[in-house]
Amino acid sequence: MARRDAETFLANHPLPDQPTPLPDLTPYLQALPAAKTPAEVSAITHQLVADTAPVLDHIASHFIAVALWAGTEHRHTPQSVRLLREAALSIRTAMAKVAQADLENLRAHYAPTTANAEPTRATAPTATTSPGSTAPRHTPGSRR
C-alpha cells in the first residue's frame, strides 16, 4: 500500500532507480596483504577513512534529517526516531572506532608500555652472553 501511495510523489520527485556506485576498495584490499608494519597498515587505514568518511557522514546526516521529518498529518513514532538517530550515530561511531583502533596499534608499536618493554630489555643479549644465544631480538609489535 505504501508503494502505491507514493507513486504520484515519486513521479514528481524521481529518485535514482539504480544503486549509487560504490567506491572502489580494490586498491586498499590489494595493499593490505603487502603491508608489513603497523605504520603501513595505518597509512592504508587513514586513506580509507579519509576517502569514505564524507559519504558515510552524508548518509548519517540523511538519517538524522529523516528522523526530524514531520509531515502535516503524521510524525514518526518515538521508536523510529530513536532508531534513526542510533543508526546515524552508529555510522559516525564506527569511523571513530576505526581511528581509535589504528591509534592503539600504533601506540603499542611505537610506545609500548613499560610492563611490555621490561622483559624485552632483560632478555637482550649482552657482551657476556655466549655466542650461541644471540637470537634476534623482537620488540613488541614488530612481528607482523
Side-chain angles (χ1 to χ4, degrees):
M1 289 194 266
R3 285 188 191 135
R4 182 198 68 213
D5 290 348
E7 284 177 0
T8 302
F9 174 81
L10 290 175
N12 294 325
H13 304 281
L15 301 174
D17 59 352
Q18 296 295 316
T20 303
L22 294 174
D24 183 11
L25 300 182
T26 304
Y28 307 99
L29 295 171
Q30 288 175 340
L32 192 56
K36 302 292 184 226
T37 68
E40 293 168 352
V41 172
S42 179
I44 297 166
T45 302
H46 275 254
Q47 189 65 42
L48 178 62
V49 169
D51 290 349
T52 58
V55 171
L56 294 172
D57 189 59
H58 190 68
I59 293 168
S61 295
H62 179 76
F63 291 161
I64 294 294
V66 171
L68 297 174
W69 170 84
T72 56
E73 297 176 11
H74 302 286
R75 292 182 177 267
H76 285 300
T77 66
Q79 174 74 355
S80 68
V81 169
R82 182 183 63 76
L83 290 170
L84 287 163
R85 288 177 185 258
E86 286 177 5
L89 181 61
S90 293
I91 290 169
R92 290 178 172 148
T93 300
M95 299 309 287
K97 285 183 178 183
V98 167
Q100 182 180 359
D102 182 56
L103 181 60
E104 289 295 321
N105 284 333
L106 290 174
R107 191 176 286 138
H109 181 73
Y110 288 104
T113 61
T114 54
N116 290 342
E118 284 304 317
T120 303
R121 281 192 211 113
T123 59
T126 62
T128 59
T129 307
S130 66
S133 63
T134 56
R137 182 176 155 207
H138 292 285
T139 59
S142 66
R143 291 179 221 135
R144 265 210 182 237

